[in-house]
Amino acid sequence: MVDVANRMRGLQESSITAMTVRCQELGAINIAQGLCQVPPPPSLLAEGARDFRDIDHSYSAPEGFAVFREAVADKLKKCSGLSVEPATQIVATVGATGALMATLTALLNPGDGVLLFEPFYGNYPTALGVLDLRAEPVRLFGPGFEVTEEALRSAVTDRTRAMIVCTPNNPSGRRLTMAELMAISAVAEEHDLLVITDEVYEDIYFGPAPHIAPATVGDLGRRTVTVSSLGKSFSVPGWRLGYACGPERLMDAVRVAAESLVVCPPAPLQELGARALRLGDDYYRGLRAMYDRKRRALTEGFVAAGLSPNEPDGSYYLFVDCSPLGVTTGAEATEILLQRSLVGTVPGETFYLNSPDLPYIRACFSLPDEVIADAAGRLARGV
């Protein structure tokens, strides 16, 4: 009888998707899913409406149009000091997820171990499972979730071949420091590990210090594939436009894998994406100010409810300690918030292979101001 592949057994729909369905059924405010519900830059929409008919609607090359790759290279150099050759070191992909899957497919073998820093983006273990790779947790503890060389070394096994580094982090909002990245560099060098960095929130951070691209630190450049996308920075996640970049010897294989998986990313959106990547500094300052305002507004709602949200350095999530509710798990906390306040959140267990040290929930603040105000009010009244 035809059956599903063994590697798919046990893989299930994410708790985020399940909560979204429950919010729809109950008429609750959904701050669980990171949908990025703020408008794209008006100039980008206006140019798209004006020029879309005349943009190339055929396939692009598997690695993407040159105009897009050149814009990616210029933006990386300007914003984080990362120098890459657009012709040979950048592959345009279907979102950051496409970049991650192409990288894992091209550079790792079934059974290889991949280090994940807990808490991590919940889709990582599923992506690894689909490819028959093994998730290996590096346990971090709140509220700081600092990466230590000791914790990293203790997590390495004889099967470890890579690690995934997300900065700014989803769900905690942590931005890794130079000292933490140097520790990662030391362990990666010692064990000859591939480093895959997820930097989709690179432009959303709070405070004066700019984003640190891991590939610019220590010896990481020669063993790092940087993954990012346009979705978060320009509020266009539905465009599914991302990229991977790294050493040419690695990107040759990533390009072949990306082509075999999806042929190429959306051609017309690459031309518009190149324009987005060339927006000036004022745009990025405005983006960060907007998200800082939203962060503070939703934080006030959780504080008024007697809960303990963290202070994220970046991304658009709060990671909230719900111990004051008298619960022991994030799943219990999400149910209380949903029933009492009609506000949907994500249990912290979604972001761990092991149990979290505290009953965390994640909440997204990439929402219209009026929705955040409504959610904050419901939390304060209901809890």
Side-chain angles (χ1 to χ4, degrees):
M1 182 176 67
V2 177
D3 204 349
V4 299
N6 290 335
R7 63 179 177 276
M8 297 300 295
R9 298 185 189 280
L11 299 182
Q12 300 176 345
E13 177 184 69
S14 75
S15 59
I16 299 173
T17 302
M19 178 56 75
T20 296
V21 172
R22 292 196 68 196
C23 287
Q24 293 169 345
E25 293 172 346
L26 296 173
I29 295 177
N30 181 9
I31 60 173
Q33 194 165 10
L35 292 176
C36 191
Q37 297 184 40
V38 299
S43 62
L44 186 62
L45 295 180
E47 290 181 17
R50 183 192 66 205
D51 300 336
F52 198 71
R53 185 184 64 180
D54 299 320
I55 287 175
D56 191 342
H57 292 273
S58 184
Y59 294 120
S60 74
E63 64 272 19
F65 284 131
V67 65
F68 178 74
R69 289 179 283 116
E70 289 165 1
V72 168
D74 290 346
K75 195 257 186 184
L76 290 173
K77 181 65 175 176
K78 175 182 176 183
C79 293
S80 57
L82 179 58
S83 296
V84 289
E85 170 54 52
T88 58
Q89 292 185 264
I90 299 175
V91 175
T93 59
V94 179
T97 301
L100 175 64
M101 294 302 289
T103 300
L104 295 172
T105 301
L107 304 180
L108 296 174
N109 296 307
D112 285 350
V114 180
L115 298 175
L116 302 179
F117 295 90
E118 291 182 321
F120 48 70
Y121 173 45
N123 278 18
Y124 292 157
T126 303
L128 297 179
V130 167
L131 295 175
D132 250 346
L133 300 170
R134 183 173 117 170
E136 300 179 332
V138 181
R139 190 60 180 269
L140 308 179
F141 294 94
F145 299 107
E146 292 91 354
V147 175
T148 66
E149 194 166 333
E150 179 183 6
L152 191 51
R153 287 186 188 281
S154 65
V156 175
T157 73
D158 57 359
R159 297 174 64 177
T160 306
R161 297 293 178 270
M163 68 175 81
I164 299 177
V165 177
C166 182
T167 180
N169 180 264
N170 172 9
S172 72
R174 270 295 315 282
R175 289 204 291 163
L176 295 181
T177 65
M178 181 64 73
E180 289 172 306
L181 291 171
M182 288 300 294
I184 288 171
S185 177
V187 174
E189 187 73 19
E190 179 181 340
H191 294 278
D192 193 22
L193 302 181
L194 168 69
V195 177
I196 304 169
T197 67
D198 180 346
E199 301 175 53
V200 298
Y201 299 99
E202 61 191 320
D203 297 311
I204 303 173
Y205 56 83
F206 314 109
H211 172 69
I212 303 175
T216 64
V217 176
D219 293 321
L220 284 174
R222 65 190 187 88
R223 62 175 63 254
T224 296
V225 174
T226 300
V227 167
S228 194
S229 77
L230 276 63
K232 278 45 175 197
S233 297
F234 306 106
S235 304
V236 290
W239 284 19
R240 310 308 302 137
L241 190 55
Y243 55 87
C245 61
E248 183 177 348
R249 72 182 193 284
L250 303 181
M251 299 315 296
D252 286 344
V254 171
R255 181 177 62 254
V256 173
E259 181 180 14
S260 69
L261 290 169
V262 295
V263 180
C264 70
L269 298 182
Q270 290 181 57
E271 296 198 24
L272 296 176
R275 303 181 194 186
L277 289 163
R278 297 192 185 283
L279 288 172
D281 293 341
D282 287 347
Y283 169 75
Y284 293 103
R285 281 192 289 267
L287 179 77
R288 289 189 279 273
M290 174 192 69
Y291 275 120
D292 191 30
R293 181 184 73 245
K294 294 177 184 295
R295 173 181 68 122
R296 295 175 186 277
L298 189 57
T299 294
E300 289 174 3
F302 279 107
V303 170
L307 304 181
S308 302
N310 69 332
E311 296 184 20
D313 303 316
S315 81
Y316 49 57
Y317 303 105
L318 297 178
F319 209 45
V320 185
D321 175 10
C322 294
S323 299
L325 291 176
V327 298
T328 58
T329 68
E332 293 175 278
T334 58
E335 193 63 28
I336 289 174
L337 296 180
L338 184 63
Q339 296 297 333
R340 293 184 186 176
S341 302
L342 284 180
V343 174
T345 57
V346 187
E349 291 83 357
T350 300
F351 311 102
Y352 287 79
L353 293 177
N354 304 303
S355 297
D357 53 307
L358 291 170
Y360 295 112
I361 59 98
R362 191 196 74 176
C364 174
F365 52 86
S366 182
L367 299 161
D369 289 345
E370 61 272 20
V371 176
I372 293 177
D374 190 1
R378 291 188 187 195
L379 289 166
R381 293 188 300 270
V383 182

